[in-house]
Amino acid sequence: MTGANGVVGRQVRNLLLQESTAITAVTRGPGSAALPDGVQAVIGDLLRPQRIEAAQEGGEALQISPRATGPGPGELLRLAVRRAYSVWCCCRPPPWNSAGEDRFATQFEHAEGLVSSSDLDRTVLCLADFAAIALAWAPQIRSGDVVRGAYGQAATFPIHETDIEAVAARALRGSVPSGPIHTLTGPQSLDQVEKVHLIGAALGRALSFQELPPEHIRQGMLAPGLPEEVPDRLLGSLADYAHRPGPTTSAVEDQLGRPARTFADRACDNAPTFGGGSAADLHDAALTSHKTGSPPMNLTLWIAAGLLTAVALAGGVSKTFIPKARLAAQHGGEWTQDASAGFIKTLGVLELLAAVGLILPAVLDIAPVMVPVTAACWIALMVGAMITHGRLGQSKLVLLNTVYLALSVFITWGRFGPWSFGS
C-alpha cells in the first residue's frame, strides 16, 4: 500500500487486517512506527520505486494513491505487472478534473491514465469531496454559531470516508469489477450552507453560514503561515463547484449493497469534535490537515519549522558573512577562536541550506521528505553545539540549544510520522 497512514488508507489497512490479509506498507522513513501489528513496513522512496521491488514479490494487489506516490506511479505499475490483479487509484472523477489547482488535476489525470493504460487487471476509484473536510470548521463552531467562508452556494457531493474505505478494501480483494472507472460520491449534492445546517442539527444548535470574499478567506488562511497552495487549491475547487454543481452516482450502493452514508451521518459521527472533541476525533481532524489546512498539530509543525528556519537563517548569515574576529568578540562566539575561518563559513552555509530545507520543499511540494531529513540533520548540529558551549561553561546557550534540539526532534517525528506530507 502507498499512503497507508493517510485519512482513507489507514482505514482500508485496518479493514484488511480484520480479515487477516497480509499488508506491506511503503513509507519514506520512521513513520513505520505508527503502523499496527500485522503490517510489514518497507522503507523506500516512492519516487524511486525500484528500491522496493523486492518487497512486492508475492503481492496480489497494489494500492496507488497519486498524492502519496507523486510523479512515480508508472514505475510502480511496471514492478507490479507480474503479480498484481487489482489497483486502487484515488483520482478526481472526470467531470471535475478541472476543479482546484491545475497541477493537482494534472497529477491525478496522469496517475489515472497510467493505471487505465496498463496491462494490469485494474480497478480505478475516483472521488472528489471528503465529508471530513468540514472538520476545518470545527474551531469556528466551537467558538460560536456562525461559520464564515467563501462560495456558500458551492455544491459538492460529500462522501463518507467509511464508504470509500469499504469499496477500496473490496477492490484490493478483487471484488470490484475491473476496467471501468468507479466514481464514488455521497447520496446527495449539498452546498456549504446546507452542510452547516446539518452540522447544527447534529449538535442541536442553530448554525448559520456567513459568506465572505474569497480573498478575505485566503488571507485568513495564510496568516498562520500556511503555504499558498492550501487556500488556492481549496478556494479554486469551491469556485468551480459554485458554477458547476457535481452530480451523484450510485457506485457505492452498487458495490456495497446498501445506500451510501450521508453527510448528516458524518456530522453525527463528529459531533464531539465540533462541540469540543474527543481525542480520537481530534486525531482524525489532524490527519485531515493536508486537505483542510486547519487542524492544530499540522499548524504547530509549520510554526515549529518556521521558528527553526529563522534560527538557521540568522546563524547561517552571521557565520557566512561576519569575519571570524568579530564573531569571536561576541557573546556566544568564543568557540570560533579555535576554529578555522573555512570551518566557520562551511557551518554557516550548512545552516543556510537548513533554513531552505525546513520550509521550501513543503511549500513547493517538491521532495517534501527533505523537511524531516533536514530537521534530523539539525539534531546532530545541536548536539555538537551543546557539547561545545558546555565545555565553555555557557549553560544558558546550552539550554537554548536544547530548545532548538526539541523543535527539530518534534518536526522529525511529526513529518516522518503521522503528519508526514505523503500521508
Side-chain angles (χ1 to χ4, degrees), residues 237-332:
S237 295
L238 288 174
D240 283 348
Y241 291 133
H243 294 93
R244 183 179 53 181
T248 60
T249 73
S250 62
V252 170
E253 185 170 2
D254 293 342
Q255 298 305 322
L256 301 182
R258 61 163 175 77
R261 298 191 66 189
T262 66
F263 183 86
D265 293 330
R266 191 65 164 103
C268 290
D269 292 343
N270 285 279
T273 302
F274 291 118
S278 67
D281 285 327
L282 289 175
H283 185 62
D284 279 345
L287 287 174
T288 314
S289 62
H290 304 305
K291 293 181 173 61
T292 64
S294 66
M297 184 57 74
N298 185 58
L299 178 58
T300 304
L301 284 163
W302 274 106
I303 293 173
L307 291 173
L308 214 55
T309 296
V311 171
L313 186 61
V317 169
S318 64
K319 293 180 182 67
T320 304
F321 300 106
I322 296 179
K324 173 183 173 179
R326 285 183 55 191
L327 285 175
Q330 296 176 0
H331 176 63

Side-chain angles (χ1 to χ4, degrees), residues 88-97 112 123-129 157 159 163-164 167 176-177 179-187 246-255 260:
W88 168 37
C89 179
C90 181
C91 306
R92 293 182 188 273
W96 309 285
N97 270 340
E112 181 182 306
T123 300
V124 180
L125 305 183
C126 294
L127 50 119
D129 186 29
F157 33 91
I159 182 170
D163 287 340
I164 306 171
V167 177
V176 176
I181 295 175
H182 301 272
T183 300
L184 307 182
T185 74
T248 60
T249 73
S250 62
V252 170
E253 185 170 2
D254 293 342
Q255 298 305 322

Side-chain angles (χ1 to χ4, degrees), residues 82-347:
R82 301 189 305 276
R83 45 193 174 271
Y85 62 78
S86 177
V87 176
W88 168 37
C89 179
C90 181
C91 306
R92 293 182 188 273
W96 309 285
N97 270 340
S98 64
E101 198 170 334
D102 288 342
R103 67 189 181 96
F104 289 102
T106 300
Q107 184 177 341
F108 284 116
E109 289 172 348
H110 174 65
E112 181 182 306
L114 286 173
V115 173
S116 298
S117 61
S118 72
D119 294 330
L120 295 174
D121 185 9
R122 71 271 183 189
T123 300
V124 180
L125 305 183
C126 294
L127 50 119
D129 186 29
F130 289 77
I133 289 180
L135 288 170
W137 292 332
Q140 295 189 64
I141 294 173
R142 287 198 296 267
S143 62
D145 294 329
V146 179
V147 172
R148 297 168 179 84
Y151 303 111
Q153 300 305 312
T156 62
F157 33 91
I159 182 170
H160 198 295
E161 286 71 32
T162 58
D163 287 340
I164 306 171
E165 296 147 11
V167 177
R170 284 177 52 82
L172 286 167
R173 291 194 301 266
S175 301
V176 176
S178 62
I181 295 175
H182 301 272
T183 300
L184 307 182
T185 74
Q188 62 184 144
S189 182
L190 297 168
D191 62 29
Q192 299 208 88
V193 176
E194 292 168 327
K195 291 177 186 177
V196 168
H197 289 166
L198 288 171
I199 295 172
L203 298 175
R205 294 164 52 189
L207 301 182
S208 61
F209 183 91
Q210 179 183 358
E211 183 163 344
L212 296 176
E215 185 58 27
H216 181 95
I217 300 299
R218 182 177 183 275
Q219 292 303 319
M221 296 176 73
L222 292 175
L226 293 175
E228 290 188 358
E229 73 164 44
V230 175
D232 289 349
R233 174 159 48 93
L234 293 177
L235 291 171
S237 295
L238 288 174
D240 283 348
Y241 291 133
H243 294 93
R244 183 179 53 181
T248 60
T249 73
S250 62
V252 170
E253 185 170 2
D254 293 342
Q255 298 305 322
L256 301 182
R258 61 163 175 77
R261 298 191 66 189
T262 66
F263 183 86
D265 293 330
R266 191 65 164 103
C268 290
D269 292 343
N270 285 279
T273 302
F274 291 118
S278 67
D281 285 327
L282 289 175
H283 185 62
D284 279 345
L287 287 174
T288 314
S289 62
H290 304 305
K291 293 181 173 61
T292 64
S294 66
M297 184 57 74
N298 185 58
L299 178 58
T300 304
L301 284 163
W302 274 106
I303 293 173
L307 291 173
L308 214 55
T309 296
V311 171
L313 186 61
V317 169
S318 64
K319 293 180 182 67
T320 304
F321 300 106
I322 296 179
K324 173 183 173 179
R326 285 183 55 191
L327 285 175
Q330 296 176 0
H331 176 63
E334 293 85 353
W335 66 272
T336 61
Q337 294 175 356
D338 298 324
S340 68
F343 174 78
I344 296 171
K345 290 189 180 297
T346 299
L347 194 59

